[in-house]
Amino acid sequence: MIMFNRQPIGATLIVVMAYLMVGLAAMPALAGMAIEEVKTSSGIKAWLVQDYSLPIITIRFAFRGGSAQDPSGKEGLVNLLTGLFEEGAGDLDSDAFQERLDDAGAEMFFEAGPDAVYGYIRVLADRKDDAFELLRLAVEQPRFDQAPVDRIRAQIVSGILAQANDPEMAAHVAWMKAIYGDHPYSRRPEGSEQTLAAVKTSDLKALHKRILARSNLAIAAVGAIDPGTLKRDLDQIFGGLPATSSLTPVADTVPKLGRAIRVPYDLPQEQLSLAYPGISRKDPQFFAVYLMNQILGGHSFTSRLWHEVREKRGLAYGIHTTLVNNDHASAIVINTGTRPDRAAATLSLIRAEVRRMSEEGVSEDELKAAKKKLIGGYAIENLNSSSAIAATLVEIQLGDRGINYIERRKQLIQAVTVEDVRAVAKRLLSADPTVMIVGPPLKETKG
């Protein structure tokens, strides 16, 4: 996925950055933050965290409907769209728009995920009117002039061609195709040289009308702004968009298991990936899986896989498991890298540890430590800046988890028992995983 991020270069940005640097120490004050829901006269809903420690406003928003909405044969269309919002809007061509954005001292960018198109703006509170007007033009009246379309498309194609011989990209493409088959998640979000060449301006305009609507919009605002002002500003920015979107239905899917993928490359080490079934965030057992993953191989030096693979045997520099949760598919993925002569032993050990957890579950001490880590580390990882808070609140909205989720999350984690983890481990980890090996042929070693 390619993210476009043009930042202002004028004197106002220097002032903004100075405020941000000073404000890093102020962020802990948001630990006890109050989240308010505001609803505008046009029906737009947003979550607000007021913070006047700095005169800055940060807004993060998302429209449901990301790269999974790309039409067949025109993959990369959504990603291309996100690169063009700042390339001219309304009466402003690309250069004029960028000059106005620089004058406003605003930071703005857009990006595409598999299930949503994201946007972001940050600006000094006393300059918000100019910046918000530019944001309104960008989302409501993008121009899609041919010259910027051709330029941004050429930039994306250049990146695709540069990755043509990259083993990591080749492996990623093979991996996504193997576990998702013909599902939209299997496709490269940036598309290909051929699919991008097929995109016309009319496709961009039609996609813009389908996705950008008030009905599929999630918004979070953090900073020096009160609810009444935010309501008026959001109506001004987004109120002119269509009331409802017209998204193409995307089917739910599950990873295809029991497959062996070999991507041969002359690399100094083997890259190993294993995919097991996942679980939706809406599943009642989600937090049991969340804790199980932390104990098995979450980003922690105390996980079982870290201890067995790295600490006891020195088979890898690092190893971790990840819960992949998209709107229409979930998986548990294990990743590591090791020497070619140790790859077979490493893979065998990983599978044995996964099997052990599926058969035995976890201990009370392991579960207690995982709960402490996941509860205590949440604010540090997700609420450590205004931008992080806004991004976190948007993701909570997209997942329909409720405005009280941050507090309720602690209770849901604490409620998980070792029996819950044992049950879900047996449910998911007894499956035969899909395994991908990237690198030279495996070498068996004795001992």
Side-chain angles (χ1 to χ4, degrees), residues 13-28 54 56 122 385-386:
L13 179 61
I14 298 175
V15 177
V16 173
M17 294 307 295
Y19 273 120
L20 293 176
M21 294 303 292
V22 172
L24 290 177
M27 284 300 108
L54 295 172
I56 295 172
R122 180 168 54 181
S385 69
S386 60

PDB file of all heavy atoms in Angstrom, residues 13-28 54 56 122 385-386:
ATOM      1  N   LEU A  13       4.383  25.741   9.710  1.00  0.00           N
ATOM      2  CA  LEU A  13       4.657  24.362  10.104  1.00  0.00           C
ATOM      3  C   LEU A  13       5.727  24.313  11.181  1.00  0.00           C
ATOM      4  O   LEU A  13       5.680  23.483  12.082  1.00  0.00           O
ATOM      5  CB  LEU A  13       5.098  23.546   8.889  1.00  0.00           C
ATOM      6  CG  LEU A  13       5.438  22.074   9.196  1.00  0.00           C
ATOM      7  CD1 LEU A  13       4.238  21.354   9.751  1.00  0.00           C
ATOM      8  CD2 LEU A  13       5.981  21.383   7.971  1.00  0.00           C
ATOM      9  N   ILE A  14       6.708  25.226  11.099  1.00  0.00           N
ATOM     10  CA  ILE A  14       7.755  25.250  12.112  1.00  0.00           C
ATOM     11  C   ILE A  14       7.144  25.520  13.476  1.00  0.00           C
ATOM     12  O   ILE A  14       7.509  24.914  14.480  1.00  0.00           O
ATOM     13  CB  ILE A  14       8.805  26.320  11.763  1.00  0.00           C
ATOM     14  CG1 ILE A  14       9.478  25.973  10.435  1.00  0.00           C
ATOM     15  CG2 ILE A  14       9.841  26.444  12.881  1.00  0.00           C
ATOM     16  CD1 ILE A  14      10.445  27.020   9.946  1.00  0.00           C
ATOM     17  N   VAL A  15       6.157  26.439  13.513  1.00  0.00           N
ATOM     18  CA  VAL A  15       5.474  26.734  14.766  1.00  0.00           C
ATOM     19  C   VAL A  15       4.710  25.504  15.250  1.00  0.00           C
ATOM     20  O   VAL A  15       4.750  25.142  16.429  1.00  0.00           O
ATOM     21  CB  VAL A  15       4.514  27.930  14.591  1.00  0.00           C
ATOM     22  CG1 VAL A  15       3.747  28.182  15.876  1.00  0.00           C
ATOM     23  CG2 VAL A  15       5.284  29.171  14.174  1.00  0.00           C
ATOM     24  N   VAL A  16       4.003  24.827  14.325  1.00  0.00           N
ATOM     25  CA  VAL A  16       3.253  23.631  14.688  1.00  0.00           C
ATOM     26  C   VAL A  16       4.179  22.574  15.273  1.00  0.00           C
ATOM     27  O   VAL A  16       3.908  21.979  16.324  1.00  0.00           O
ATOM     28  CB  VAL A  16       2.514  23.052  13.454  1.00  0.00           C
ATOM     29  CG1 VAL A  16       1.882  21.713  13.800  1.00  0.00           C
ATOM     30  CG2 VAL A  16       1.445  24.028  12.975  1.00  0.00           C
ATOM     31  N   MET A  17       5.309  22.325  14.599  1.00  0.00           N
ATOM     32  CA  MET A  17       6.227  21.304  15.069  1.00  0.00           C
ATOM     33  C   MET A  17       6.816  21.672  16.426  1.00  0.00           C
ATOM     34  O   MET A  17       7.042  20.809  17.265  1.00  0.00           O
ATOM     35  CB  MET A  17       7.346  21.092  14.039  1.00  0.00           C
ATOM     36  CG  MET A  17       6.858  20.516  12.709  1.00  0.00           C
ATOM     37  SD  MET A  17       5.875  18.999  12.918  1.00  0.00           S
ATOM     38  CE  MET A  17       7.126  17.905  13.568  1.00  0.00           C
ATOM     39  N   ALA A  18       7.061  22.954  16.639  1.00  0.00           N
ATOM     40  CA  ALA A  18       7.573  23.379  17.943  1.00  0.00           C
ATOM     41  C   ALA A  18       6.566  23.072  19.036  1.00  0.00           C
ATOM     42  O   ALA A  18       6.908  22.578  20.111  1.00  0.00           O
ATOM     43  CB  ALA A  18       7.894  24.869  17.915  1.00  0.00           C
ATOM     44  N   TYR A  19       5.292  23.359  18.770  1.00  0.00           N
ATOM     45  CA  TYR A  19       4.239  23.025  19.731  1.00  0.00           C
ATOM     46  C   TYR A  19       4.199  21.522  19.989  1.00  0.00           C
ATOM     47  O   TYR A  19       4.039  21.065  21.128  1.00  0.00           O
ATOM     48  CB  TYR A  19       2.876  23.478  19.217  1.00  0.00           C
ATOM     49  CG  TYR A  19       2.521  24.903  19.548  1.00  0.00           C
ATOM     50  CD1 TYR A  19       2.266  25.814  18.529  1.00  0.00           C
ATOM     51  CD2 TYR A  19       2.423  25.334  20.868  1.00  0.00           C
ATOM     52  CE1 TYR A  19       1.921  27.131  18.825  1.00  0.00           C
ATOM     53  CE2 TYR A  19       2.079  26.636  21.163  1.00  0.00           C
ATOM     54  CZ  TYR A  19       1.831  27.543  20.143  1.00  0.00           C
ATOM     55  OH  TYR A  19       1.493  28.814  20.432  1.00  0.00           O
ATOM     56  N   LEU A  20       4.344  20.740  18.912  1.00  0.00           N
ATOM     57  CA  LEU A  20       4.259  19.293  19.063  1.00  0.00           C
ATOM     58  C   LEU A  20       5.400  18.748  19.908  1.00  0.00           C
ATOM     59  O   LEU A  20       5.214  17.867  20.732  1.00  0.00           O
ATOM     60  CB  LEU A  20       4.266  18.623  17.678  1.00  0.00           C
ATOM     61  CG  LEU A  20       3.041  18.894  16.817  1.00  0.00           C
ATOM     62  CD1 LEU A  20       3.221  18.268  15.452  1.00  0.00           C
ATOM     63  CD2 LEU A  20       1.786  18.383  17.480  1.00  0.00           C
ATOM     64  N   MET A  21       6.595  19.263  19.699  1.00  0.00           N
ATOM     65  CA  MET A  21       7.740  18.798  20.478  1.00  0.00           C
ATOM     66  C   MET A  21       7.568  19.129  21.951  1.00  0.00           C
ATOM     67  O   MET A  21       7.815  18.314  22.822  1.00  0.00           O
ATOM     68  CB  MET A  21       9.030  19.433  19.935  1.00  0.00           C
ATOM     69  CG  MET A  21       9.395  18.972  18.523  1.00  0.00           C
ATOM     70  SD  MET A  21       9.563  17.182  18.388  1.00  0.00           S
ATOM     71  CE  MET A  21      11.029  16.919  19.382  1.00  0.00           C
ATOM     72  N   VAL A  22       7.114  20.358  22.227  1.00  0.00           N
ATOM     73  CA  VAL A  22       6.868  20.735  23.608  1.00  0.00           C
ATOM     74  C   VAL A  22       5.749  19.899  24.200  1.00  0.00           C
ATOM     75  O   VAL A  22       5.765  19.520  25.367  1.00  0.00           O
ATOM     76  CB  VAL A  22       6.509  22.239  23.705  1.00  0.00           C
ATOM     77  CG1 VAL A  22       6.063  22.591  25.115  1.00  0.00           C
ATOM     78  CG2 VAL A  22       7.703  23.092  23.304  1.00  0.00           C
ATOM     79  N   GLY A  23       4.779  19.571  23.361  1.00  0.00           N
ATOM     80  CA  GLY A  23       3.592  18.881  23.847  1.00  0.00           C
ATOM     81  C   GLY A  23       3.755  17.409  24.103  1.00  0.00           C
ATOM     82  O   GLY A  23       2.861  16.786  24.669  1.00  0.00           O
ATOM     83  N   LEU A  24       4.877  16.804  23.715  1.00  0.00           N
ATOM     84  CA  LEU A  24       5.045  15.374  23.970  1.00  0.00           C
ATOM     85  C   LEU A  24       4.930  15.056  25.447  1.00  0.00           C
ATOM     86  O   LEU A  24       4.376  14.032  25.836  1.00  0.00           O
ATOM     87  CB  LEU A  24       6.408  14.908  23.432  1.00  0.00           C
ATOM     88  CG  LEU A  24       6.547  14.875  21.909  1.00  0.00           C
ATOM     89  CD1 LEU A  24       7.957  14.467  21.531  1.00  0.00           C
ATOM     90  CD2 LEU A  24       5.534  13.924  21.291  1.00  0.00           C
ATOM     91  N   ALA A  25       5.432  15.967  26.261  1.00  0.00           N
ATOM     92  CA  ALA A  25       5.352  15.738  27.710  1.00  0.00           C
ATOM     93  C   ALA A  25       3.952  15.920  28.250  1.00  0.00           C
ATOM     94  O   ALA A  25       3.635  15.471  29.353  1.00  0.00           O
ATOM     95  CB  ALA A  25       6.306  16.688  28.434  1.00  0.00           C
ATOM     96  N   ALA A  26       3.090  16.575  27.478  1.00  0.00           N
ATOM     97  CA  ALA A  26       1.730  16.835  27.950  1.00  0.00           C
ATOM     98  C   ALA A  26       0.789  15.676  27.691  1.00  0.00           C
ATOM     99  O   ALA A  26      -0.296  15.602  28.253  1.00  0.00           O
ATOM    100  CB  ALA A  26       1.176  18.093  27.275  1.00  0.00           C
ATOM    101  N   MET A  27       1.193  14.724  26.831  1.00  0.00           N
ATOM    102  CA  MET A  27       0.302  13.658  26.442  1.00  0.00           C
ATOM    103  C   MET A  27      -0.185  12.779  27.593  1.00  0.00           C
ATOM    104  O   MET A  27      -1.320  12.329  27.580  1.00  0.00           O
ATOM    105  CB  MET A  27       0.977  12.780  25.376  1.00  0.00           C
ATOM    106  CG  MET A  27       0.993  13.413  23.996  1.00  0.00           C
ATOM    107  SD  MET A  27      -0.680  13.753  23.386  1.00  0.00           S
ATOM    108  CE  MET A  27      -0.732  15.532  23.504  1.00  0.00           C
ATOM    109  N   PRO A  28       0.637  12.481  28.625  1.00  0.00           N
ATOM    110  CA  PRO A  28       0.117  11.654  29.710  1.00  0.00           C
ATOM    111  C   PRO A  28      -1.120  12.215  30.379  1.00  0.00           C
ATOM    112  O   PRO A  28      -1.885  11.486  30.984  1.00  0.00           O
ATOM    113  CB  PRO A  28       1.308  11.600  30.688  1.00  0.00           C
ATOM    114  CG  PRO A  28       2.511  11.739  29.810  1.00  0.00           C
ATOM    115  CD  PRO A  28       2.082  12.719  28.752  1.00  0.00           C
ATOM    116  N   LEU A  54      -2.390  22.294  24.264  1.00  0.00           N
ATOM    117  CA  LEU A  54      -1.758  22.881  23.086  1.00  0.00           C
ATOM    118  C   LEU A  54      -2.851  23.415  22.166  1.00  0.00           C
ATOM    119  O   LEU A  54      -3.923  22.820  22.076  1.00  0.00           O
ATOM    120  CB  LEU A  54      -0.937  21.835  22.328  1.00  0.00           C
ATOM    121  CG  LEU A  54       0.285  21.248  23.045  1.00  0.00           C
ATOM    122  CD1 LEU A  54       0.853  20.098  22.225  1.00  0.00           C
ATOM    123  CD2 LEU A  54       1.326  22.303  23.270  1.00  0.00           C
ATOM    124  N   ILE A  56      -3.825  23.064  19.218  1.00  0.00           N
ATOM    125  CA  ILE A  56      -3.777  22.255  18.005  1.00  0.00           C
ATOM    126  C   ILE A  56      -5.016  21.377  17.937  1.00  0.00           C
ATOM    127  O   ILE A  56      -5.505  20.896  18.960  1.00  0.00           O
ATOM    128  CB  ILE A  56      -2.498  21.383  17.989  1.00  0.00           C
ATOM    129  CG1 ILE A  56      -1.251  22.263  17.906  1.00  0.00           C
ATOM    130  CG2 ILE A  56      -2.518  20.388  16.836  1.00  0.00           C
ATOM    131  CD1 ILE A  56       0.039  21.505  18.067  1.00  0.00           C
ATOM    132  N   ARG A 122      -4.179  17.995  10.702  1.00  0.00           N
ATOM    133  CA  ARG A 122      -3.737  18.584  11.969  1.00  0.00           C
ATOM    134  C   ARG A 122      -3.358  20.032  11.701  1.00  0.00           C
ATOM    135  O   ARG A 122      -2.636  20.329  10.739  1.00  0.00           O
ATOM    136  CB  ARG A 122      -2.553  17.812  12.545  1.00  0.00           C
ATOM    137  CG  ARG A 122      -2.048  18.369  13.865  1.00  0.00           C
ATOM    138  CD  ARG A 122      -1.082  17.422  14.542  1.00  0.00           C
ATOM    139  NE  ARG A 122       0.020  17.043  13.681  1.00  0.00           N
ATOM    140  CZ  ARG A 122       0.996  16.206  14.047  1.00  0.00           C
ATOM    141  NH1 ARG A 122       0.955  15.650  15.255  1.00  0.00           N
ATOM    142  NH2 ARG A 122       1.976  15.903  13.227  1.00  0.00           N
ATOM    143  N   SER A 385      -0.306  10.030  21.917  1.00  0.00           N
ATOM    144  CA  SER A 385      -0.272  11.321  21.233  1.00  0.00           C
ATOM    145  C   SER A 385      -1.671  11.626  20.721  1.00  0.00           C
ATOM    146  O   SER A 385      -2.532  10.738  20.669  1.00  0.00           O
ATOM    147  CB  SER A 385       0.714  11.312  20.064  1.00  0.00           C
ATOM    148  OG  SER A 385       0.231  10.482  19.018  1.00  0.00           O
ATOM    149  N   SER A 386      -1.905  12.862  20.330  1.00  0.00           N
ATOM    150  CA  SER A 386      -3.227  13.209  19.798  1.00  0.00           C
ATOM    151  C   SER A 386      -3.530  12.429  18.524  1.00  0.00           C
ATOM    152  O   SER A 386      -4.656  11.988  18.301  1.00  0.00           O
ATOM    153  CB  SER A 386      -3.308  14.717  19.535  1.00  0.00           C
ATOM    154  OG  SER A 386      -2.331  15.125  18.593  1.00  0.00           O
TER     155      SER A 386
END
